[in-house]
Amino acid sequence: NIEPFNEDYYKELKNIVLTNYSKLNFIEAYNSVVGLQNFCMRMHSRGHTEYMNELFSLMEFTLKNGFYTSIKGGDFVPQHFKNYVIVGTNLKKFEWTENFIKVYVKKLSPQNRENAYNFSMAKVLFGKKDFEKALWFISRVSYQDLYYKLEVRNNTLLIYYELEMFSEAFDLMESYKKFIQNNKVINPALRNRHLFFIKIINDLLKIKISGNTKKIRQVEKEIKNSENNLNTSWLLIKLEELTLQLERN
């Protein structure tokens, strides 16, 4: 195991794994690669943006050597698949990500494939700013588990904002909020992140519709000071766009 934020331990383990993986048994190699990837995600979440590219290089190593499953020749772990799509789109490697989806969706268990494909394509198309197509794909994702129940609502709200579908956005925020508040399975930290995101989107939409700029700096301060981070980069970009738009009007 790597200490949560010890970069020296990370570099040492990475060197061992990348030079000696063929000498490890499969499960040892798999667990080591997952540990390295988790470290990169933790560091990135702390603002070390260089770890996104580091994570991407580990993903390519993982795919090349088949360490995307804990059992040699087994199914792709669904959460890992989702993470790969998110990293690829965040780095704007859209061609790579689309190719990854088409090739590796077949490695998922049959019951996971359709949802994973539709959700992943929605993420890529959103990244490419093809919002109408993104909406088409995400509307075809069934609420298979808690992850999709939250993420489909979250990503649909992003798309509604971009398409200026205000009425649909407000309706969704209401049902999204009720779902989170009534679902006892969601842990408190995750609940707070989603509720904070809904609050900020609601504030942005109200500013956008009213043209009143008075609350912009307050909202910006709330986003930057909050530990309940969800889509923080996107929110700050939208806030900046909104500021420039209102200044021109």
Side-chain angles (χ1 to χ4, degrees), residues 105-222:
V105 75
K106 298 165 191 168
K107 305 283 187 185
L108 289 164
S109 59
Q111 68 267 27
N112 285 314
R113 285 176 197 164
E114 188 175 357
N115 259 359
Y117 180 77
N118 287 325
F119 183 76
S120 299
M121 287 304 298
K123 295 290 286 185
V124 172
L125 290 160
F126 183 86
K128 292 168 79 171
K129 302 188 185 300
D130 193 341
F131 303 120
E132 290 184 1
K133 276 190 184 175
L135 184 59
W136 188 91
F137 275 101
I138 208 157
S139 69
R140 278 151 182 77
V141 180
S142 64
Y143 289 166
Q144 194 175 36
D145 56 31
L146 182 60
Y147 176 87
Y148 283 122
K149 286 173 183 176
L150 288 170
E151 287 302 309
V152 169
R153 287 174 169 91
N154 182 269
N155 284 270
T156 303
L157 188 52
L158 295 175
I159 295 168
Y160 282 164
Y161 182 93
E162 295 286 9
L163 291 173
E164 298 192 336
M165 296 172 69
F166 300 140
S167 176
E168 291 85 349
F170 284 115
D171 287 346
L172 176 56
M173 280 190 288
E174 193 63 33
S175 62
Y176 184 3
K177 190 174 179 180
K178 282 180 182 174
F179 170 74
I180 294 164
Q181 291 171 331
N182 295 334
N183 192 304
K184 306 304 177 189
V185 179
I186 303 171
N187 74 60
L190 187 61
R191 177 179 290 112
N192 289 337
R193 282 200 293 275
H194 281 272
L195 288 174
F196 181 75
F197 173 73
I198 294 167
K199 178 201 175 299
I200 296 298
I201 284 278
N202 187 52
D203 288 342
L204 291 181
L205 283 169
K206 285 181 176 175
I207 293 168
K208 196 177 181 76
I209 291 166
S210 69
N212 189 339
T213 60
K214 288 180 182 177
K215 279 193 73 178
I216 283 182
R217 292 302 151 226
Q218 180 192 328
V219 174
E220 182 182 24
K221 191 175 178 182
E222 281 185 67

Side-chain angles (χ1 to χ4, degrees), residues 44-96:
H44 183 264
S45 71
R46 281 200 160 192
H48 297 273
T49 54
E50 70 276 12
Y51 273 91
M52 186 63 77
N53 281 305
E54 181 76 8
L55 178 54
F56 183 78
S57 69
L58 284 171
M59 284 163 37
E60 292 192 301
F61 170 81
T62 301
L63 295 175
K64 182 180 176 183
N65 293 285
F67 299 138
Y68 51 78
T69 171
S70 58
I71 303 165
K72 197 167 187 176
D75 293 332
F76 209 118
V77 178
Q79 188 56 53
H80 295 344
F81 187 91
K82 293 163 190 167
N83 289 342
Y84 281 34
V85 171
I86 290 167
V87 171
T89 53
N90 283 351
L91 290 172
K92 301 191 185 303
K93 294 181 182 286
F94 301 124
E95 188 177 344
W96 181 94

Side-chain angles (χ1 to χ4, degrees), residues 197 200-201 204 223 230-239:
F197 173 73
I200 296 298
I201 284 278
L204 291 181
I223 296 168
L230 198 65
N231 302 313
T232 302
S233 298
W234 182 88
L235 288 171
L236 290 171
I237 289 167
K238 294 302 115 183
L239 194 63

